[in-house]
Amino acid sequence: DTGVSQDPRHKITKRGQNVTFRCDPISEHNRLYWYRQTLGQGPEFLTYFQNEAQLEKSRLLSDRFSAERPKGSFSTLEIQRTEQGDSAMYLCASSFHDTEAFFGQGTRLTVV
Amino acid sequence: AQTVTQSQPEMSVQEAETVTLSCTYDTSESNYYLFWYKQPPSRQMILVIRQEAYKQQNATENRFSVNFQKAAKSFSLKISDSQLGDTAMYFCRNNFGNEKLTFGTGTRLTIIP
C-alpha cells in the first residue's frame, strides 16, 4: 500500500504521560500536514512541513506539542504531559506541493 | 482573512435523489485549488473532487460534480443518484497560496433508504 500510513492507530495513555505518533507520507510528496479532529468537528490544523522545514504552526497549539520531519520523509508528533483535552483523532496528510492532500487513517488518542 | 464557510450543518435526502452541498470562500488569491472531501462515519478522509480556479469548466467525477462560481466565490458539490454509501461528513477545503489548508465546518449528509 502506497498511501499515507499512521502509527499507532489507537493509543490510550494516562494523564501526564508523553506520547509520540508517526506518519509516513506518500513517498514523492514534499508536504506533510498534521490535524486534530474531535467528534463531530472538522479537522483543526496543527502544523505543516515542506520537506524538512516546518513552515507553519497553529497559534492554538500548546508548547506541549512538537513535530519533526528530520529527513523530509516521515514525521513524528509528540505530546508532552498529556491532558484529557488532548483526546482526539490526530490526522496526517501529505501532498505534492499545493495539490490535493491524501490522508492517513489517523491515530486515536485517549487520555485517561 | 482567507476562509471557507459551509452553511449547512446537516442535510438528508432520499436514495437516488440529487443533493447539493454549499461552500463559500474568501480569498485574494487569483490561482488556487478547492477540494471536497468525504469522511464516512469512523473512517478515513478521502478526496471526492478538486477544482482548479483557473479552469472555467466545472470538475466532474462520476456522480459528483461541482458548480464553481469564481466571481461569487462559491464552490458547491452536487451528488447525483445518491447512494447509501454517500452518507458521510463532507468538508470543503482550500489551498490558497501558502495557506495551511483550512477546512470548512462540514456538512453531515444522510442518505435515507
PDB file of all heavy atoms in Angstrom, chain A residues 52-85:
ATOM      1  N   GLU A  52      11.815  19.116   5.011  1.00  0.00           N
ATOM      2  CA  GLU A  52      12.086  19.007   6.442  1.00  0.00           C
ATOM      3  C   GLU A  52      11.764  20.285   7.207  1.00  0.00           C
ATOM      4  O   GLU A  52      11.865  20.316   8.433  1.00  0.00           O
ATOM      5  CB  GLU A  52      13.545  18.612   6.673  1.00  0.00           C
ATOM      6  CG  GLU A  52      14.568  19.632   6.218  1.00  0.00           C
ATOM      7  CD  GLU A  52      14.907  19.513   4.734  1.00  0.00           C
ATOM      8  OE1 GLU A  52      14.212  18.756   4.016  1.00  0.00           O
ATOM      9  OE2 GLU A  52      15.854  20.195   4.310  1.00  0.00           O
ATOM     10  N   ALA A  53      11.384  21.329   6.497  1.00  0.00           N
ATOM     11  CA  ALA A  53      11.133  22.615   7.141  1.00  0.00           C
ATOM     12  C   ALA A  53       9.684  22.712   7.652  1.00  0.00           C
ATOM     13  O   ALA A  53       8.737  22.500   6.895  1.00  0.00           O
ATOM     14  CB  ALA A  53      11.411  23.740   6.152  1.00  0.00           C
ATOM     15  N   GLN A  54       9.567  23.073   8.926  1.00  0.00           N
ATOM     16  CA  GLN A  54       8.246  23.305   9.493  1.00  0.00           C
ATOM     17  C   GLN A  54       7.836  24.735   9.159  1.00  0.00           C
ATOM     18  O   GLN A  54       8.389  25.687   9.714  1.00  0.00           O
ATOM     19  CB  GLN A  54       8.268  23.084  11.010  1.00  0.00           C
ATOM     20  CG  GLN A  54       6.891  23.125  11.645  1.00  0.00           C
ATOM     21  CD  GLN A  54       6.922  22.737  13.125  1.00  0.00           C
ATOM     22  OE1 GLN A  54       7.979  22.719  13.753  1.00  0.00           O
ATOM     23  NE2 GLN A  54       5.784  22.402  13.690  1.00  0.00           N
ATOM     24  N   LEU A  55       6.871  24.879   8.260  1.00  0.00           N
ATOM     25  CA  LEU A  55       6.552  26.194   7.730  1.00  0.00           C
ATOM     26  C   LEU A  55       5.520  26.945   8.550  1.00  0.00           C
ATOM     27  O   LEU A  55       5.504  28.177   8.545  1.00  0.00           O
ATOM     28  CB  LEU A  55       6.077  26.093   6.281  1.00  0.00           C
ATOM     29  CG  LEU A  55       7.128  25.614   5.272  1.00  0.00           C
ATOM     30  CD1 LEU A  55       6.614  25.759   3.847  1.00  0.00           C
ATOM     31  CD2 LEU A  55       8.439  26.382   5.435  1.00  0.00           C
ATOM     32  N   GLU A  56       4.656  26.225   9.212  1.00  0.00           N
ATOM     33  CA  GLU A  56       3.645  26.914   9.997  1.00  0.00           C
ATOM     34  C   GLU A  56       3.177  26.033  11.134  1.00  0.00           C
ATOM     35  O   GLU A  56       3.113  24.815  11.007  1.00  0.00           O
ATOM     36  CB  GLU A  56       2.445  27.316   9.133  1.00  0.00           C
ATOM     37  CG  GLU A  56       1.462  28.210   9.868  1.00  0.00           C
ATOM     38  CD  GLU A  56       0.467  28.884   8.953  1.00  0.00           C
ATOM     39  OE1 GLU A  56       0.639  28.812   7.725  1.00  0.00           O
ATOM     40  OE2 GLU A  56      -0.489  29.481   9.471  1.00  0.00           O
ATOM     41  N   LYS A  57       2.883  26.699  12.230  1.00  0.00           N
ATOM     42  CA  LYS A  57       2.388  26.008  13.415  1.00  0.00           C
ATOM     43  C   LYS A  57       1.212  26.813  13.941  1.00  0.00           C
ATOM     44  O   LYS A  57       1.302  28.034  14.068  1.00  0.00           O
ATOM     45  CB  LYS A  57       3.503  25.926  14.454  1.00  0.00           C
ATOM     46  CG  LYS A  57       3.178  25.161  15.708  1.00  0.00           C
ATOM     47  CD  LYS A  57       4.414  25.066  16.598  1.00  0.00           C
ATOM     48  CE  LYS A  57       4.103  24.365  17.902  1.00  0.00           C
ATOM     49  NZ  LYS A  57       5.291  24.261  18.780  1.00  0.00           N
ATOM     50  N   SER A  58       0.125  26.142  14.246  1.00  0.00           N
ATOM     51  CA  SER A  58      -1.060  26.832  14.715  1.00  0.00           C
ATOM     52  C   SER A  58      -0.780  27.597  16.013  1.00  0.00           C
ATOM     53  O   SER A  58      -0.107  27.074  16.910  1.00  0.00           O
ATOM     54  CB  SER A  58      -2.190  25.831  14.944  1.00  0.00           C
ATOM     55  OG  SER A  58      -3.271  26.438  15.612  1.00  0.00           O
ATOM     56  N   ARG A  59      -1.321  28.778  16.102  1.00  0.00           N
ATOM     57  CA  ARG A  59      -1.172  29.546  17.342  1.00  0.00           C
ATOM     58  C   ARG A  59      -1.935  28.907  18.478  1.00  0.00           C
ATOM     59  O   ARG A  59      -1.671  29.180  19.649  1.00  0.00           O
ATOM     60  CB  ARG A  59      -1.681  30.976  17.119  1.00  0.00           C
ATOM     61  CG  ARG A  59      -0.768  31.824  16.269  1.00  0.00           C
ATOM     62  CD  ARG A  59      -1.405  33.134  15.935  1.00  0.00           C
ATOM     63  NE  ARG A  59      -2.532  32.956  15.020  1.00  0.00           N
ATOM     64  CZ  ARG A  59      -3.329  33.936  14.640  1.00  0.00           C
ATOM     65  NH1 ARG A  59      -3.175  35.151  15.094  1.00  0.00           N
ATOM     66  NH2 ARG A  59      -4.313  33.710  13.803  1.00  0.00           N
ATOM     67  N   LEU A  60      -2.870  28.036  18.138  1.00  0.00           N
ATOM     68  CA  LEU A  60      -3.647  27.364  19.175  1.00  0.00           C
ATOM     69  C   LEU A  60      -2.873  26.196  19.778  1.00  0.00           C
ATOM     70  O   LEU A  60      -3.299  25.623  20.780  1.00  0.00           O
ATOM     71  CB  LEU A  60      -4.960  26.851  18.584  1.00  0.00           C
ATOM     72  CG  LEU A  60      -5.885  27.906  17.971  1.00  0.00           C
ATOM     73  CD1 LEU A  60      -7.082  27.235  17.322  1.00  0.00           C
ATOM     74  CD2 LEU A  60      -6.328  28.901  19.033  1.00  0.00           C
ATOM     75  N   LEU A  61      -1.755  25.866  19.170  1.00  0.00           N
ATOM     76  CA  LEU A  61      -1.013  24.690  19.585  1.00  0.00           C
ATOM     77  C   LEU A  61      -0.176  24.993  20.816  1.00  0.00           C
ATOM     78  O   LEU A  61       0.681  25.879  20.813  1.00  0.00           O
ATOM     79  CB  LEU A  61      -0.126  24.235  18.436  1.00  0.00           C
ATOM     80  CG  LEU A  61       0.278  22.776  18.424  1.00  0.00           C
ATOM     81  CD1 LEU A  61      -0.943  21.895  18.380  1.00  0.00           C
ATOM     82  CD2 LEU A  61       1.161  22.499  17.231  1.00  0.00           C
ATOM     83  N   SER A  62      -0.441  24.206  21.835  1.00  0.00           N
ATOM     84  CA  SER A  62       0.302  24.366  23.083  1.00  0.00           C
ATOM     85  C   SER A  62       1.770  24.036  22.880  1.00  0.00           C
ATOM     86  O   SER A  62       2.151  23.287  21.974  1.00  0.00           O
ATOM     87  CB  SER A  62      -0.300  23.427  24.127  1.00  0.00           C
ATOM     88  OG  SER A  62       0.579  23.178  25.178  1.00  0.00           O
ATOM     89  N   ASP A  63       2.611  24.582  23.777  1.00  0.00           N
ATOM     90  CA  ASP A  63       4.037  24.266  23.748  1.00  0.00           C
ATOM     91  C   ASP A  63       4.296  22.801  24.078  1.00  0.00           C
ATOM     92  O   ASP A  63       5.417  22.322  23.896  1.00  0.00           O
ATOM     93  CB  ASP A  63       4.796  25.154  24.744  1.00  0.00           C
ATOM     94  CG  ASP A  63       4.856  26.593  24.272  1.00  0.00           C
ATOM     95  OD1 ASP A  63       4.604  26.831  23.073  1.00  0.00           O
ATOM     96  OD2 ASP A  63       5.148  27.472  25.100  1.00  0.00           O
ATOM     97  N   ARG A  64       3.274  22.113  24.541  1.00  0.00           N
ATOM     98  CA  ARG A  64       3.460  20.686  24.840  1.00  0.00           C
ATOM     99  C   ARG A  64       3.508  19.846  23.564  1.00  0.00           C
ATOM    100  O   ARG A  64       3.875  18.687  23.594  1.00  0.00           O
ATOM    101  CB  ARG A  64       2.313  20.193  25.731  1.00  0.00           C
ATOM    102  CG  ARG A  64       2.231  20.872  27.080  1.00  0.00           C
ATOM    103  CD  ARG A  64       1.120  20.275  27.938  1.00  0.00           C
ATOM    104  NE  ARG A  64      -0.205  20.515  27.357  1.00  0.00           N
ATOM    105  CZ  ARG A  64      -0.943  19.595  26.737  1.00  0.00           C
ATOM    106  NH1 ARG A  64      -0.494  18.350  26.610  1.00  0.00           N
ATOM    107  NH2 ARG A  64      -2.140  19.904  26.254  1.00  0.00           N
ATOM    108  N   PHE A  65       3.120  20.453  22.465  1.00  0.00           N
ATOM    109  CA  PHE A  65       3.105  19.747  21.180  1.00  0.00           C
ATOM    110  C   PHE A  65       4.353  20.107  20.379  1.00  0.00           C
ATOM    111  O   PHE A  65       4.712  21.285  20.264  1.00  0.00           O
ATOM    112  CB  PHE A  65       1.877  20.149  20.355  1.00  0.00           C
ATOM    113  CG  PHE A  65       0.577  19.608  20.848  1.00  0.00           C
ATOM    114  CD1 PHE A  65       0.015  20.075  22.026  1.00  0.00           C
ATOM    115  CD2 PHE A  65      -0.090  18.622  20.142  1.00  0.00           C
ATOM    116  CE1 PHE A  65      -1.188  19.574  22.489  1.00  0.00           C
ATOM    117  CE2 PHE A  65      -1.301  18.126  20.584  1.00  0.00           C
ATOM    118  CZ  PHE A  65      -1.851  18.609  21.755  1.00  0.00           C
ATOM    119  N   SER A  66       4.977  19.105  19.811  1.00  0.00           N
ATOM    120  CA  SER A  66       6.099  19.363  18.916  1.00  0.00           C
ATOM    121  C   SER A  66       6.078  18.346  17.786  1.00  0.00           C
ATOM    122  O   SER A  66       5.676  17.201  17.974  1.00  0.00           O
ATOM    123  CB  SER A  66       7.430  19.302  19.666  1.00  0.00           C
ATOM    124  OG  SER A  66       7.628  18.008  20.194  1.00  0.00           O
ATOM    125  N   ALA A  67       6.491  18.790  16.626  1.00  0.00           N
ATOM    126  CA  ALA A  67       6.522  17.914  15.470  1.00  0.00           C
ATOM    127  C   ALA A  67       7.863  18.054  14.778  1.00  0.00           C
ATOM    128  O   ALA A  67       8.486  19.118  14.789  1.00  0.00           O
ATOM    129  CB  ALA A  67       5.380  18.243  14.501  1.00  0.00           C
ATOM    130  N   GLU A  68       8.277  16.959  14.167  1.00  0.00           N
ATOM    131  CA  GLU A  68       9.530  16.943  13.417  1.00  0.00           C
ATOM    132  C   GLU A  68       9.343  16.173  12.124  1.00  0.00           C
ATOM    133  O   GLU A  68       8.506  15.278  12.027  1.00  0.00           O
ATOM    134  CB  GLU A  68      10.638  16.256  14.237  1.00  0.00           C
ATOM    135  CG  GLU A  68      11.050  16.984  15.474  1.00  0.00           C
ATOM    136  CD  GLU A  68      12.215  16.277  16.168  1.00  0.00           C
ATOM    137  OE1 GLU A  68      12.441  15.079  15.888  1.00  0.00           O
ATOM    138  OE2 GLU A  68      12.879  16.926  16.982  1.00  0.00           O
ATOM    139  N   ARG A  69      10.179  16.505  11.185  1.00  0.00           N
ATOM    140  CA  ARG A  69      10.267  15.740   9.935  1.00  0.00           C
ATOM    141  C   ARG A  69      11.739  15.787   9.518  1.00  0.00           C
ATOM    142  O   ARG A  69      12.126  16.488   8.598  1.00  0.00           O
ATOM    143  CB  ARG A  69       9.370  16.338   8.857  1.00  0.00           C
ATOM    144  CG  ARG A  69       9.152  15.406   7.677  1.00  0.00           C
ATOM    145  CD  ARG A  69       8.322  16.059   6.583  1.00  0.00           C
ATOM    146  NE  ARG A  69       8.077  15.119   5.501  1.00  0.00           N
ATOM    147  CZ  ARG A  69       7.677  15.465   4.287  1.00  0.00           C
ATOM    148  NH1 ARG A  69       7.468  16.752   4.006  1.00  0.00           N
ATOM    149  NH2 ARG A  69       7.481  14.556   3.373  1.00  0.00           N
ATOM    150  N   PRO A  70      12.550  15.014  10.218  1.00  0.00           N
ATOM    151  CA  PRO A  70      14.014  15.214  10.155  1.00  0.00           C
ATOM    152  C   PRO A  70      14.647  15.038   8.785  1.00  0.00           C
ATOM    153  O   PRO A  70      15.579  15.735   8.468  1.00  0.00           O
ATOM    154  CB  PRO A  70      14.535  14.166  11.152  1.00  0.00           C
ATOM    155  CG  PRO A  70      13.426  13.203  11.349  1.00  0.00           C
ATOM    156  CD  PRO A  70      12.165  13.944  11.140  1.00  0.00           C
ATOM    157  N   LYS A  71      14.179  14.162   7.983  1.00  0.00           N
ATOM    158  CA  LYS A  71      14.822  13.946   6.682  1.00  0.00           C
ATOM    159  C   LYS A  71      13.853  14.229   5.538  1.00  0.00           C
ATOM    160  O   LYS A  71      14.087  13.811   4.417  1.00  0.00           O
ATOM    161  CB  LYS A  71      15.350  12.521   6.583  1.00  0.00           C
ATOM    162  CG  LYS A  71      16.437  12.204   7.598  1.00  0.00           C
ATOM    163  CD  LYS A  71      16.971  10.794   7.429  1.00  0.00           C
ATOM    164  CE  LYS A  71      18.053  10.514   8.448  1.00  0.00           C
ATOM    165  NZ  LYS A  71      18.576   9.125   8.327  1.00  0.00           N
ATOM    166  N   GLY A  72      12.812  14.925   5.859  1.00  0.00           N
ATOM    167  CA  GLY A  72      11.846  15.239   4.820  1.00  0.00           C
ATOM    168  C   GLY A  72      11.017  14.057   4.382  1.00  0.00           C
ATOM    169  O   GLY A  72      10.367  14.122   3.330  1.00  0.00           O
ATOM    170  N   SER A  73      11.047  12.991   5.182  1.00  0.00           N
ATOM    171  CA  SER A  73      10.228  11.826   4.811  1.00  0.00           C
ATOM    172  C   SER A  73       9.143  11.649   5.872  1.00  0.00           C
ATOM    173  O   SER A  73       8.155  12.368   5.857  1.00  0.00           O
ATOM    174  CB  SER A  73      11.100  10.580   4.665  1.00  0.00           C
ATOM    175  OG  SER A  73      11.823  10.344   5.860  1.00  0.00           O
ATOM    176  N   PHE A  74       9.351  10.740   6.829  1.00  0.00           N
ATOM    177  CA  PHE A  74       8.345  10.533   7.855  1.00  0.00           C
ATOM    178  C   PHE A  74       8.354  11.689   8.841  1.00  0.00           C
ATOM    179  O   PHE A  74       9.310  12.480   8.905  1.00  0.00           O
ATOM    180  CB  PHE A  74       8.580   9.200   8.578  1.00  0.00           C
ATOM    181  CG  PHE A  74       9.750   9.219   9.519  1.00  0.00           C
ATOM    182  CD1 PHE A  74       9.568   9.538  10.860  1.00  0.00           C
ATOM    183  CD2 PHE A  74      11.026   8.930   9.064  1.00  0.00           C
ATOM    184  CE1 PHE A  74      10.651   9.565  11.728  1.00  0.00           C
ATOM    185  CE2 PHE A  74      12.110   8.954   9.920  1.00  0.00           C
ATOM    186  CZ  PHE A  74      11.925   9.276  11.258  1.00  0.00           C
ATOM    187  N   SER A  75       7.288  11.778   9.617  1.00  0.00           N
ATOM    188  CA  SER A  75       7.171  12.835  10.625  1.00  0.00           C
ATOM    189  C   SER A  75       6.702  12.221  11.932  1.00  0.00           C
ATOM    190  O   SER A  75       6.042  11.178  11.945  1.00  0.00           O
ATOM    191  CB  SER A  75       6.169  13.892  10.171  1.00  0.00           C
ATOM    192  OG  SER A  75       5.954  14.877  11.176  1.00  0.00           O
ATOM    193  N   THR A  76       7.069  12.873  13.028  1.00  0.00           N
ATOM    194  CA  THR A  76       6.570  12.491  14.337  1.00  0.00           C
ATOM    195  C   THR A  76       5.902  13.688  14.988  1.00  0.00           C
ATOM    196  O   THR A  76       6.311  14.833  14.800  1.00  0.00           O
ATOM    197  CB  THR A  76       7.690  11.972  15.250  1.00  0.00           C
ATOM    198  OG1 THR A  76       8.683  12.983  15.389  1.00  0.00           O
ATOM    199  CG2 THR A  76       8.309  10.700  14.689  1.00  0.00           C
ATOM    200  N   LEU A  77       4.858  13.382  15.736  1.00  0.00           N
ATOM    201  CA  LEU A  77       4.154  14.389  16.541  1.00  0.00           C
ATOM    202  C   LEU A  77       4.214  13.910  17.981  1.00  0.00           C
ATOM    203  O   LEU A  77       3.775  12.801  18.293  1.00  0.00           O
ATOM    204  CB  LEU A  77       2.700  14.526  16.085  1.00  0.00           C
ATOM    205  CG  LEU A  77       1.826  15.485  16.897  1.00  0.00           C
ATOM    206  CD1 LEU A  77       2.265  16.928  16.672  1.00  0.00           C
ATOM    207  CD2 LEU A  77       0.348  15.328  16.522  1.00  0.00           C
ATOM    208  N   GLU A  78       4.783  14.727  18.843  1.00  0.00           N
ATOM    209  CA  GLU A  78       4.899  14.380  20.248  1.00  0.00           C
ATOM    210  C   GLU A  78       4.026  15.304  21.078  1.00  0.00           C
ATOM    211  O   GLU A  78       4.000  16.523  20.859  1.00  0.00           O
ATOM    212  CB  GLU A  78       6.354  14.470  20.734  1.00  0.00           C
ATOM    213  CG  GLU A  78       6.501  14.083  22.200  1.00  0.00           C
ATOM    214  CD  GLU A  78       7.923  14.240  22.730  1.00  0.00           C
ATOM    215  OE1 GLU A  78       8.736  14.923  22.093  1.00  0.00           O
ATOM    216  OE2 GLU A  78       8.198  13.666  23.804  1.00  0.00           O
ATOM    217  N   ILE A  79       3.346  14.718  22.029  1.00  0.00           N
ATOM    218  CA  ILE A  79       2.581  15.488  23.001  1.00  0.00           C
ATOM    219  C   ILE A  79       3.170  15.172  24.379  1.00  0.00           C
ATOM    220  O   ILE A  79       3.198  14.005  24.790  1.00  0.00           O
ATOM    221  CB  ILE A  79       1.086  15.142  22.990  1.00  0.00           C
ATOM    222  CG1 ILE A  79       0.516  15.210  21.576  1.00  0.00           C
ATOM    223  CG2 ILE A  79       0.321  16.091  23.912  1.00  0.00           C
ATOM    224  CD1 ILE A  79      -0.928  14.727  21.468  1.00  0.00           C
ATOM    225  N   GLN A  80       3.630  16.192  25.040  1.00  0.00           N
ATOM    226  CA  GLN A  80       4.192  16.009  26.374  1.00  0.00           C
ATOM    227  C   GLN A  80       3.130  16.307  27.437  1.00  0.00           C
ATOM    228  O   GLN A  80       2.241  17.128  27.231  1.00  0.00           O
ATOM    229  CB  GLN A  80       5.393  16.940  26.558  1.00  0.00           C
ATOM    230  CG  GLN A  80       6.546  16.624  25.616  1.00  0.00           C
ATOM    231  CD  GLN A  80       7.746  17.542  25.847  1.00  0.00           C
ATOM    232  OE1 GLN A  80       7.595  18.709  26.179  1.00  0.00           O
ATOM    233  NE2 GLN A  80       8.938  17.001  25.671  1.00  0.00           N
ATOM    234  N   ARG A  81       3.242  15.615  28.542  1.00  0.00           N
ATOM    235  CA  ARG A  81       2.362  15.858  29.709  1.00  0.00           C
ATOM    236  C   ARG A  81       0.896  15.908  29.251  1.00  0.00           C
ATOM    237  O   ARG A  81       0.192  16.905  29.416  1.00  0.00           O
ATOM    238  CB  ARG A  81       2.756  17.156  30.405  1.00  0.00           C
ATOM    239  CG  ARG A  81       4.223  17.182  30.832  1.00  0.00           C
ATOM    240  CD  ARG A  81       4.586  18.482  31.560  1.00  0.00           C
ATOM    241  NE  ARG A  81       4.304  19.675  30.764  1.00  0.00           N
ATOM    242  CZ  ARG A  81       5.071  20.131  29.797  1.00  0.00           C
ATOM    243  NH1 ARG A  81       6.168  19.479  29.437  1.00  0.00           N
ATOM    244  NH2 ARG A  81       4.749  21.241  29.138  1.00  0.00           N
ATOM    245  N   THR A  82       0.458  14.813  28.684  1.00  0.00           N
ATOM    246  CA  THR A  82      -0.876  14.792  28.104  1.00  0.00           C
ATOM    247  C   THR A  82      -1.960  15.171  29.104  1.00  0.00           C
ATOM    248  O   THR A  82      -1.858  14.893  30.302  1.00  0.00           O
ATOM    249  CB  THR A  82      -1.196  13.405  27.524  1.00  0.00           C
ATOM    250  OG1 THR A  82      -0.951  12.406  28.531  1.00  0.00           O
ATOM    251  CG2 THR A  82      -0.374  13.116  26.295  1.00  0.00           C
ATOM    252  N   GLU A  83      -3.002  15.786  28.569  1.00  0.00           N
ATOM    253  CA  GLU A  83      -4.165  16.189  29.345  1.00  0.00           C
ATOM    254  C   GLU A  83      -5.398  15.550  28.721  1.00  0.00           C
ATOM    255  O   GLU A  83      -5.381  15.148  27.553  1.00  0.00           O
ATOM    256  CB  GLU A  83      -4.308  17.716  29.311  1.00  0.00           C
ATOM    257  CG  GLU A  83      -3.092  18.457  29.836  1.00  0.00           C
ATOM    258  CD  GLU A  83      -3.184  19.963  29.618  1.00  0.00           C
ATOM    259  OE1 GLU A  83      -4.158  20.420  28.979  1.00  0.00           O
ATOM    260  OE2 GLU A  83      -2.259  20.674  30.091  1.00  0.00           O
ATOM    261  N   GLN A  84      -6.472  15.481  29.473  1.00  0.00           N
ATOM    262  CA  GLN A  84      -7.680  14.847  28.945  1.00  0.00           C
ATOM    263  C   GLN A  84      -8.190  15.577  27.703  1.00  0.00           C
ATOM    264  O   GLN A  84      -8.750  14.961  26.798  1.00  0.00           O
ATOM    265  CB  GLN A  84      -8.756  14.786  30.022  1.00  0.00           C
ATOM    266  CG  GLN A  84      -8.464  13.719  31.078  1.00  0.00           C
ATOM    267  CD  GLN A  84      -9.618  13.502  32.026  1.00  0.00           C
ATOM    268  OE1 GLN A  84     -10.291  14.447  32.406  1.00  0.00           O
ATOM    269  NE2 GLN A  84      -9.841  12.250  32.406  1.00  0.00           N
ATOM    270  N   GLY A  85      -7.988  16.851  27.629  1.00  0.00           N
ATOM    271  CA  GLY A  85      -8.414  17.632  26.483  1.00  0.00           C
ATOM    272  C   GLY A  85      -7.646  17.320  25.209  1.00  0.00           C
ATOM    273  O   GLY A  85      -8.041  17.762  24.128  1.00  0.00           O
TER     274      GLY A  85
END
